[in-house]
Amino acid sequence: MCARILIVEDDTLQAELVRRLLLQEGHTPVVVHDGRAALDEARRRRPDLVVLDLMLPEVDGLGVCRALRRDGDVPVLMLTARSTEDDLLRGLELGADDYMTKPYSPRELLARIRTVLRRTLRAADASPVLRAGGVTVDPLRHEVTCDGVPIPCTPGEFAILHAMTAEPGRVFSRRQLLQHTKGQDRASTERAIDVHILNLRKKIEADPGRPVRLLTVFGVGYKLTGRPS
């Protein structure tokens, strides 16, 4: 699994460490040291994954993530010295797929990168086009539409919709959805699923405050209705 990975890190020693690790794994790493250069590089040639520090000059990591999400659905793994859950949720709200705090284990970083890439490729190679409740998920093209309108989704959001459109009407617990988005061997929080659901409702519901497609089953989890709104 060889991927082009953009490393955005202003600490040159840290960036070089990550670059060498990725080279040893057979990837093609590209290093930049500020947010503006990151956006220029990502737009020049789309990476398969962005390893993104939050504390950056020019444009900070949250600003970079926000701009990347406007441009497409490239997977983003955030690296930061911040460790509060609020920071985690802010990153997820903007569309980050995973989050690691410094200092981190190089082996864990590589494991996280492998999982994000594997999940992205699995979604692309998976089942035929799925439809439920006016939502269409095309795994081969990694595309989502709602009532025929293209909907940009992060890989995490895509994984949730893929699971739900495969079984419309089924109630998924947060833990089950977390397994689809992060994998069973990942350290994360079930609150992250609530953030993904909130973001998806903004994209597929006419009134996100009164959803008719992506419903909450109180005390259990969430389900995607099989009926169009």
Side-chain angles (χ1 to χ4, degrees):
M1 188 189 302
C2 180
R4 186 174 186 276
I5 300 177
L6 177 59
I7 304 163
V8 191
E9 170 64 77
D10 64 336
D11 183 326
T12 55
L13 292 178
Q14 191 75 23
E16 179 62 14
L17 170 63
V18 177
R19 188 188 73 85
R20 290 183 180 183
L21 288 172
L22 293 175
L23 279 174
Q24 291 171 7
E25 287 283 297
H27 299 299
T28 303
V30 177
V31 177
V32 297
H33 300 295
D34 67 73
R36 196 169 304 281
L39 293 175
D40 290 343
E41 178 62 30
R43 288 163 180 163
R44 183 163 45 248
R45 185 179 175 189
R46 185 185 186 278
D48 298 303
L49 173 69
V50 178
V51 178
L52 177 65
D53 187 31
L54 277 187
M55 304 299 291
L56 294 169
E58 299 292 336
V59 181
D60 69 13
L62 293 176
V64 171
C65 188
R66 186 182 296 110
L68 289 173
R69 282 293 161 260
R70 286 197 300 265
D71 292 345
D73 60 358
V74 58
V76 175
L77 169 60
M78 282 188 169
L79 300 177
T80 180
R82 301 171 180 171
S83 59
T84 69
E85 190 175 42
D86 286 343
D87 289 321
L88 164 62
L89 296 178
R90 268 191 86 191
L92 290 173
E93 285 170 355
L94 291 175
D97 300 279
D98 203 357
Y99 185 100
M100 289 189 68
T101 57
K102 300 176 181 179
Y104 52 80
S105 158
R107 290 181 63 187
E108 182 181 3
L109 174 62
L110 290 177
R112 299 273 187 113
I113 288 172
R114 289 189 203 106
T115 302
V116 172
L117 291 172
R118 186 165 57 243
R119 185 172 66 241
T120 303
L121 293 174
R122 185 171 62 236
D125 293 336
S127 56
V129 175
L130 302 170
R131 297 178 177 85
V135 176
T136 300
V137 176
D138 186 338
L140 294 179
R141 293 180 175 83
H142 207 270
E143 293 175 349
V144 175
T145 62
C146 184
D147 295 332
V149 178
I151 304 296
C153 289
T154 70
E157 293 165 1
F158 187 92
I160 288 175
L161 283 181
H162 183 263
M164 287 185 154
T165 52
E167 298 184 78
R170 173 186 168 182
V171 180
F172 289 83
S173 69
R174 290 175 178 83
R175 185 176 299 276
Q176 288 168 334
L177 291 174
L178 190 61
Q179 291 171 2
H180 283 282
T181 59
K182 298 295 183 185
Q184 297 183 14
D185 58 340
R186 306 294 289 283
S188 189
T189 168
E190 292 181 20
R191 281 190 62 193
I193 297 301
D194 296 334
V195 175
H196 286 314
I197 294 294
L198 177 64
N199 288 338
L200 283 170
R201 283 176 173 160
K202 292 176 182 177
K203 297 175 180 182
I204 70 172
E205 299 283 2
D207 181 356
R210 302 177 65 183
V212 296
R213 287 185 166 109
L214 189 46
L215 305 179
T216 299
V217 179
F218 292 101
V220 183
Y222 301 101
K223 70 176 180 178
L224 182 68
T225 179
R227 300 186 301 275
S229 62

